[in-house]
Amino acid sequence: IFDDQGGQRPKSTFLTYVAEGDQLYHKGEYVKAIESFSTALILQPGDKSCLVARSKCYLKTGDPENALRDAEASLKEDKEFFKGLYQKAEALYIMGDFEYALVSYHRGHRLRPELQEFRLGIQKAQEAIENSVGSKCQCKMSTIELIFHAVQPLRRKQKLENKKTTNTEKTTKQLLGELYTDKEYLEELLEDEDLVKSKTRSGEKLQDLILNCITYLDTRTEFWHQQRPIYARERDRKLMQQKWNKSRQNPSSDPAIFVLKSLEDIDAALISGNAEGSLKRAQNVMKTVQGWSEKRVPNKNEVIASLHNCIGNAFFDLGDMDRALEQHQKDLKLAVQCELSDAKSRALDSIGRVYARIGKFAQAIEVWEEKIPLVRSGLEKTWLFHEIGRCYLELKRHTEALDYGYRSLAAADEIADEKWQLNACVLVAQSELELGNFKSSVSHFERALDRATLLQDSSSMEAIQKVPSLS
């Protein structure tokens, strides 16, 4: 493992040791895998996915204490790292700390509700608590009941209260949705001096646990800000601008100016984070346009389709996926009826995003693959292939994921877009790794890291770190 000069410096690369560790893990050679991951961590101390990988090995060797230590270390810089949360929950469960394990399963489930692992974890932890505690807990409510069940009466109470909130609070409430009441309830619990002095079965102060939950919700606000990709917003705006610029070939008219200005305002509000304002504006404009005659607005259905898209985008940002899907399906229906290819492409894109967001990856793939013949630009092609590939990866259909990864990379190379070259390389590398093609995986990871270094883009570096064998 080390160089020939007698020193303690590993002779190979971080990626090579990680790939070696993954291979050994899949072969069931967990002790050797731990050695490989440990060597990799000498080269990149604190790498969160490598820590999770080693934690898994520790669990396999019957060492949950070290497994927990690595899992917690992986969460040190990123409390929302869902793989670290899951590994922490698993380690706590094996150690018999079922209540604290349940907290971590719940945190992960709220972060990634589409993942079955967290749902199953919640179920088995709840069953373990019931079996081990039974009816003996008759004093104060258990930690889990306090954190995850007692919020329900408060929610009903708060629906009856009409509190004035600042703009910042309104934004936070909008972003967190139902979780906002959880945050308020937890803050109220901190005022109960007797309660916060109590401890969990694992010995942790309830006060510390509540503070951790509040911190999680605070960081969750920023997470929701980032859910809709910037490139998707830019694409939507350009599409609308191209559509309405055509109207300006006709003599200027009040309806055309009104609609163009309204669409710009609606999109600007959404981009600024004011989804509620964007929604209200779009709904008001919809009522106005629906009252106009087709003689006054010859492309009335096209306008209405665009407004359905705007309303759907607002619901998406507000976290109301059912209403978002309903609006985007109306957009698609009008686009098909009126033979509007651009509108159809836009609607299919939006429907796919909703399906992907709620974890229905197979439906997202079906919709997005229908969109492929409608793609016009190289940029649109590379991100579409990338998104489809990511969905296949989530479904563990690694061969298809690899195929779309290479297609995305080819499209990115054609337009010389370094950002999407980076994204596509990560997808290809992860797919190759899952298929056991370690040499190719390492090669594409290294190319992705080169792109990230060249771009000096911290968010891109973070994207690479989310790959199981790197991050």
Side-chain angles (χ1 to χ4, degrees):
I1 293 178
F2 301 101
D3 60 29
D4 297 330
Q5 305 302 317
Q8 293 299 307
R9 184 172 175 273
K11 67 179 181 180
S12 193
T13 67
F14 170 78
L15 294 175
T16 299
Y17 289 119
V18 169
E20 180 182 74
D22 285 334
Q23 189 174 22
L24 290 167
Y25 177 86
H26 290 300
K27 288 181 177 179
E29 299 179 25
Y30 305 119
V31 175
K32 291 183 179 179
I34 289 173
E35 293 177 359
S36 295
F37 289 130
S38 297
T39 306
L41 286 167
I42 293 174
L43 295 170
Q44 289 194 26
D47 184 274
K48 60 185 182 182
S49 282
C50 191
L51 285 166
V52 167
R54 190 171 68 175
S55 176
K56 291 179 180 178
C57 295
Y58 279 130
L59 275 188
K60 291 290 187 180
T61 60
D63 187 356
E65 288 80 10
N66 273 323
L68 178 61
R69 188 175 296 112
D70 275 355
E72 290 180 332
S74 76
L75 295 166
K76 184 176 180 180
E77 300 297 331
D78 181 4
K79 302 298 183 185
E80 291 186 350
F81 182 43
F82 71 93
K83 291 169 185 168
L85 280 171
Y86 179 74
Q87 195 59 28
K88 179 179 179 179
E90 288 287 277
L92 288 165
Y93 181 85
I94 295 298
M95 293 171 68
D97 289 331
F98 305 126
E99 290 177 330
Y100 206 178
L102 183 54
V103 171
S104 293
Y105 285 130
H106 268 289
R107 288 178 182 171
H109 180 63
R110 288 186 175 184
L111 184 63
R112 294 294 298 270
E114 73 276 9
L115 296 182
Q116 184 180 13
E117 289 88 341
F118 288 118
R119 293 196 295 272
L120 294 175
I122 291 170
Q123 180 180 345
K124 71 180 183 181
Q126 287 175 335
E127 291 175 353
I129 291 171
E130 291 172 2
N131 292 335
S132 61
V133 177
S135 60
K136 291 186 288 184
C137 205
Q138 297 177 352
C139 48
K140 285 197 178 227
M141 299 173 74
S142 72
T143 302
I144 301 306
E145 288 174 322
L146 285 168
I147 301 299
F148 297 107
H149 299 301
V151 295
Q152 297 302 328
L154 182 68
R155 286 179 182 152
R156 290 193 291 272
K157 176 183 176 183
Q158 289 183 331
K159 287 179 182 178
L160 299 175
E161 296 177 353
N162 185 19
K163 296 182 179 179
K164 292 183 178 180
T165 57
T166 64
N167 289 335
T168 301
E169 288 172 337
K170 287 181 178 178
T171 300
T172 302
K173 186 173 183 179
Q174 179 186 100
L175 290 168
L176 288 177
E178 189 180 67
L179 298 182
Y180 183 78
T181 53
D182 290 10
K183 183 174 182 291
E184 287 190 319
Y185 181 75
L186 291 168
E187 288 171 346
E188 287 190 9
L189 288 181
L190 286 177
E191 299 177 6
D192 187 333
E193 294 182 3
D194 292 331
L195 177 65
V196 296
K197 291 178 181 177
S198 60
K199 296 182 179 181
T200 66
R201 290 175 64 249
S202 60
E204 184 182 16
K205 289 183 179 180
L206 186 55
Q207 181 181 23
D208 294 338
L209 183 58
I210 294 173
L211 287 172
N212 286 338
C213 290
I214 292 174
T215 300
Y216 161 76
L217 293 173
D218 285 338
T219 56
R220 184 66 169 165
T221 302
E222 180 59 27
F223 173 81
W224 284 113
H225 268 301
Q226 301 170 0
Q227 285 306 290
R228 191 170 181 224
I230 293 175
Y231 70 83
R233 286 175 171 161
E234 292 176 346
R235 187 179 67 254
D236 290 346
R237 288 202 306 277
K238 289 178 181 178
L239 191 60
M240 284 190 285
Q241 288 172 0
Q242 292 172 359
K243 185 184 299 298
W244 292 107
N245 283 339
K246 296 176 182 179
S247 301
R248 288 176 177 160
Q249 296 174 359
N250 301 323
S252 180
S253 63
D254 289 340
I257 295 174
F258 170 78
V259 169
L260 283 167
K261 182 63 168 61
S262 296
L263 289 173
E264 290 174 1
D265 291 345
I266 291 166
D267 196 46
L270 194 65
I271 294 169
S272 69
N274 184 12
E276 187 175 344
S278 177
L279 175 61
K280 289 180 179 178
R281 177 66 169 156
Q283 289 173 330
N284 288 336
V285 174
M286 176 73 83
K287 291 178 182 178
T288 300
V289 173
Q290 287 175 333
W292 289 344
S293 65
E294 292 188 4
K295 183 178 181 180
R296 189 178 184 188
V297 186
N299 58 341
K300 179 178 177 179
N301 284 335
E302 190 172 359
V303 176
I304 291 175
S306 293
L307 289 169
H308 279 307
N309 174 67
C310 293
I311 293 172
N313 289 338
F315 277 130
F316 183 93
D317 280 18
L318 288 169
D320 192 336
M321 297 299 123
D322 290 338
R323 290 186 179 180
L325 184 59
E326 179 184 4
Q327 291 295 321
H328 291 314
Q329 287 174 336
K330 289 180 178 180
D331 180 18
L332 179 60
K333 184 177 180 180
L334 280 173
V336 172
Q337 287 178 350
C338 302
E339 298 182 349
L340 305 170
S341 59
D342 283 344
K344 181 180 179 180
S345 179
R346 175 192 65 210
L348 291 171
D349 171 27
S350 299
I351 292 171
R353 284 194 301 114
V354 174
Y355 280 138
R357 174 69 171 273
I358 61 179
K360 294 185 176 181
F361 301 113
Q363 291 91 325
I365 290 170
E366 182 179 358
V367 170
W368 276 334
E369 287 186 335
E370 185 181 349
K371 173 185 167 70
I372 292 176
L374 303 174
V375 172
R376 292 189 176 186
S377 70
L379 178 61
E380 191 175 14
K381 185 185 297 182
T382 188
W383 66 250
L384 179 61
F385 288 156
H386 179 271
E387 296 303 290
I388 295 174
R390 289 298 306 174
C391 286
Y392 274 122
L393 201 61
E394 291 285 352
L395 294 172
K396 302 188 184 303
R397 295 173 60 177
H398 304 128
T399 300
E400 292 92 335
L402 180 62
D403 176 59
Y404 273 103
Y406 275 118
R407 293 169 72 176
S408 177
L409 182 56
D413 287 341
E414 285 179 9
I415 60 175
D417 190 303
E418 293 174 342
K419 174 68 174 180
W420 282 101
Q421 287 172 342
L422 186 156
N423 292 338
C425 279
V426 170
L427 174 59
V428 170
Q430 189 171 4
S431 301
E432 293 279 33
L433 183 62
E434 294 292 347
L435 291 168
N437 303 324
F438 302 112
K439 184 176 180 180
S440 177
S441 175
V442 170
S443 174
H444 283 90
F445 276 137
E446 290 177 342
R447 183 181 174 187
L449 287 170
D450 287 342
R451 296 293 93 184
T453 302
L454 181 65
L455 291 167
Q456 295 183 335
D457 189 333
S458 59
S459 63
S460 297
M461 293 294 291
E462 180 65 20
I464 296 174
Q465 294 300 317
K466 289 181 179 178
V467 178
S469 295
L470 275 183
S471 48

